[in-house]
Structure formats: structure tokens, C-alpha cells
Amino acid sequence: MRFFRDLRPAAFAMAPWTAAILTLAAGVMLLASGATPSEPVRFMRLIQITPVYLIEAAHFLSSILGLALVLLSFGLRARLDAAWYTTLGALLLGATLALLKGFNWEETAALVALAVLIAPFHGAFPRTSRLTRMEITPGWLFSAACAVAGAGLLGLWTFQHSDYADRPWWRVMADADAERAVRAWAGAALVLFVFGVWRLVVSAATPPVVGEHDPDYERVRAILAKAEVAEPGSNLALLGDKRFLFSASGESFLMFGVRGRAWVALGAPVGLREERQELLWRFRELADSHAARPGVHGLNAEDLPEIVELGFAIQKVGETAAVPLESFSMDGRKRGTARRAWRKLGEAGATFEVLQGDAVTAMLPTLQAISDEWLSHHAGGEKGFSMGGFWPGYVQEFPVALVRFEGKPVAFATLWTTASRSAFSMDLMRYADEAPNNIMDYLFVELIGWGREQGYEAFEFGIAPLAGLDDRPLAPIMSRVGRLLFERGEEIYNFQGVRRYKDKYDPLWQPRYCAAPHKWSIPWLMADVGLLSSGGVSGLSKRPKKAEEPKVEPAPDSAAA
């Protein structure tokens, strides 16, 4: 018994694909059976005890069920529980019809055996989604069409090479048995055609970009305000350049961007934990139905089990720095530089405050002036997608940390908060030319104190790109290339400087990942993320200028990078 218990996880892991293949075979069997001649002896015995109309109906419906099983096999592959229930019913009904159409007890035995085989594996089909939500792709329809066409050709060949071989095919078609086969085959073909047209008409279109004036924007804001599972970066949903998939309950969403054939989800779904897997599957299926190339960027370690369920390949892309606020202290040699800068600026007249609501609106012109001055020294302009930009409507969505020096605003940062208060982070970090050196150190220290007072568990400094990748002989090639860029690519980006700057606050470093259906498509995914964030090739080609004064070492907007 212990041996079988040990095999149970492997059996459940194999069940969806095994059930899909066997159900597909059962569907093809019914299609072929309906398009070929009946066994004469059995048929003559059956017709003596069964009304002709019942035989005709059973023959026709059996072929329709065969087509249904072919399509249900794709639902089983996608682990839909509705497909599991429907397949069991279709198999048992098909077993009954096999006896009525020609006493085909072999088909009945095979269908009942298959139903018995998949019945114990309901747990292997955890996706509680309706069959109408299953995306039927062109590839699926083509496969079903091939099965129907193959059954028709098999029937034509069988009738021409049986007892009818000496008769022309148009005379064969006039025979009652042949007519029955043709009706069954034509019925399956017609149903497939109608189904394909229906799916073409009702198939969900690509969700539109949701801006601040769309009704869905309020749904996004409401979900963020009470999300059970969300990260500070989830607030990028309010940037106004994303597309969204919402859960059936309306309590969760997944955001993504589209660039050509690339569909890039930014982070895991936001909202209820139990709805995350279904949204991820819907995203992949919707992309597949549009012949798009899906990918997910900005995942943490907790998201990986759900991503693995999609069959995606995973690649580490860097590490994020998070400071646990309860245990953080400014004491110690490692934080000596930041501590001295904070005290010095405080004594020189720097003050800190957090603005919210109407106070942010009233301060917008001043914040805009600081932002424009900062941008004048940094090439590339405002970013998007995975980075925030200074758009008035977007900035007003968040609290703003403001630093004044001798009473005049000189620096600010917009704050990403979470409903669970598990963590908060900065988005935009900008300062004026007249801001004193080390102004960002002062801002960071004050924000850590503010976050502790507000009851947040951690303060996130954002990602250090390509940090933590291994350059070992057996490491993935992308990890080795990423490590090389981290060590030798300072002319491209200040990789090591960003890592060192954040490290002086002694954070916990947590890995970040991206995922795509195939390992070879991950470089394309990373390129698409860069192009979406920079607004195309022209924006990506403009490298930021190096700061002349050491006011802050990280790259601009590095919390959102």
C-alpha cells in the first residue's frame, strides 16, 4: 500500500495529459465508427428488437459525442474541472449509444474503462472554470477538423473497398447504411463548423488599455485598496498603460502590456490568493488564442509554484532589497555614512513630511517643476509599464514624501503602499539642482521611520538588476551572461553601484524572476519589457547621464525598475 501511496503524486501529475490523450483517442474512435459500415450480423439482431429511429438517433449522436470528446480533450489538458465532469458524462452516454447503434460492445467496454480510469483523478483538475471560458485556439479547431475529415475519408474508403467495391461511390451513398454514416459524419462536420464560427464571434478580444477615465479603472483602484495579495509594485496598475484580466468575482486582476505579438504580464495577479492560478491560466489561453507570445515579468519566489503549473520556463533576473522595519536600526558602522548624512542635513534645516490627498494636488506645480528640472539632466524622458512617470493623475493616486531645505521643497518621492501593510516602497525619486548632497539618504532614513510608525512590515528599495546570478560551469547560459554583464557592464548601467548603495541599509535580498513558455523566448521577453518601459527603441537607446554630484547613487526610478 505504501508503494501505491508513493506513486499517487506522480499519477496525479500525469493524469491531465494522459486523460487528454485517451479522451482524444476515444473521440476519434467514435467519429471513425460513425463513418464506417456497421457489423451486419449484430446490426440485424439489433434491428429486430430496437426501433429504427432509435438506431438512427444513436448513430448520429454518437458521432457528435465523438467530436465533443475531441474538444474536451483540450479542456482536460488545461485541467478544467468542468471538462472532467463533462467528459465522464460524455463517456457514459457514448457507451450507451454504442450498444444502440450497432451493439458495438467493444466500444462500450473501452468507453466505460476510460471513465473508470479517470474518475478517481478529480483532484488533478483543480481549475474551477466554466467550459465557455475555455479559449478555443485555431490550432485546436484545426486538429478537430482533421479528425472529422479523417473519419470521413476512412468511411469513404471503407465503403468503396467492402461489399460495395463493384459499385460506384454515388450508388454506395444511396445505401441505407452508407446514408447513416454520411449523416453522422456530415452532422459532426456541421457542428464543428458552427462551433468554430461561434467561437470566432464570441472569443474574447484583446482587453483594451485601461485609462483613468474608464470604469475598469475604478475596479482596479478598489481591488488595490483591499487586496489580500499585492506588492508595492502592483500600484503600477494605476499608470494608465495596462490591459487587465479580471476574475469572475471581480476581486482580482492581472495586468499586462502588449507589444506586437508579445503579451507581458507585470507581476503575479493581485487580489485574492485562490484566484491567482485561474487568472494566470486565462492569460496564457487568451494569448494562445491570439497567437501571441506570453510572458510574466517581476515574479518573486512565492509565485513560482503557480507559474510552474503553466509549464513556463523560469529565469532569475535580479534581486530586490527589503528592509524589515521592526528590527532596523541606524546604529552600526555599516550605516555610519547614511546616519551622518541624515543628522547633518537635519541640523542644516532639512525637514520631512508626507502629503496625501488634496495636499498633493495643491503641491503638484512645485513637484512638476522639481521633476522637470531633474529630467533635464537625465536622457530618455518619462518611462512607463514597469516604471512610474510624472503624470499628474498618476502622482495624485499616492502619498508623496516631500523634503524641504530651509523651508523650500527640494526633493520628493511618490510612495507605493499596500492594503495589508506588508510592505511599502518608493516610485518616483526626484530632486532639484539646489538640493544638498546626500538628500536621498536623508529621505530614505525618514521614510523608514515613517513606515514603522504607520505599521508597515518592510520598506522595499526596489530591484538590483542582474544581481545574485551565478557564473558556474553548470549554470544556465542566461545566468552566466547576466553575471558577465553585472560585472563588466557598468557603461550600460550602474549595476554594481545600485547593489552597493542599497546594501548599506543591510536589507534582505530576495530573488526576482521572469517566466516564458520556452527558455529561448526569455531574452525576447526581457527585450519586450525594456521596450515597453522605454516607449520603444528610440527611448531604450537613450542612456541616462551619470550624475555629477553624489546626491543619490541608484539609477533614477530604480525602485520601479
Side-chain angles (χ1 to χ4, degrees), residues 298-420:
L299 298 164
N300 60 37
E302 295 178 355
D303 303 323
L304 297 189
E306 294 162 331
I307 296 298
V308 169
E309 286 292 312
L310 299 183
F312 277 13
I314 299 167
Q315 175 62 47
K316 184 177 179 180
V317 294
E319 294 179 325
T320 54
V323 175
L325 298 184
E326 184 177 354
S327 60
F328 180 81
S329 172
M330 286 300 295
D331 298 331
R333 293 181 58 187
K334 196 169 186 178
R335 285 181 281 278
T337 301
R339 182 174 63 248
R340 286 190 293 271
W342 169 62
R343 288 177 177 172
K344 181 179 179 180
L345 286 173
E347 294 169 355
T351 59
F352 168 86
E353 62 181 310
V354 175
L355 309 176
Q356 301 193 54
D358 293 339
V360 175
T361 304
M363 188 61 66
L364 270 180
T366 302
L367 300 179
Q368 181 78 68
I370 295 174
S371 177
D372 291 344
E373 193 171 82
W374 183 89
L375 280 174
S376 67
H377 302 294
H378 297 79
E382 297 287 9
K383 306 301 182 184
F385 188 65
S386 65
M387 303 181 190
F390 194 99
W391 316 112
Y394 173 71
V395 172
Q396 292 177 83
E397 295 284 347
F398 310 109
V400 174
L402 181 67
V403 175
R404 301 177 189 267
F405 189 71
E406 297 179 347
K408 183 177 181 180
V410 293
F412 73 90
T414 54
L415 305 181
W416 284 337
T417 58
T418 55
S420 63

Side-chain angles (χ1 to χ4, degrees), residues 95-167:
T96 304
L97 294 176
L99 293 175
L100 291 175
K101 72 178 183 179
F103 199 64
N104 297 328
W105 62 267
E106 298 92 345
E107 290 182 18
T108 298
L111 295 174
V112 170
L114 178 55
V116 171
L117 180 64
I118 68 174
F121 292 96
H122 183 210
F125 303 90
R127 296 186 57 205
T128 55
S129 178
R130 300 189 300 272
L131 285 178
T132 54
R133 302 299 294 271
M134 183 175 68
E135 294 295 338
I136 304 298
T137 68
W140 293 13
L141 288 177
F142 179 75
S143 300
C146 288
V148 172
L153 292 174
L154 175 64
L156 179 61
W157 182 89
T158 303
F159 278 107
Q160 286 187 316
H161 292 80
S162 59
D163 296 336
Y164 306 91
D166 58 341
R167 298 168 62 185

Side-chain angles (χ1 to χ4, degrees), residues 7-8 16 32 50 144 156 234 265 277 352 397 451 474 479 487 489 498:
L7 285 180
R8 189 173 185 273
T50 307
L156 179 61
S234 301
Q277 187 74 65
F352 168 86
E397 295 284 347
L474 299 180
S479 294
E487 294 177 347
V498 170

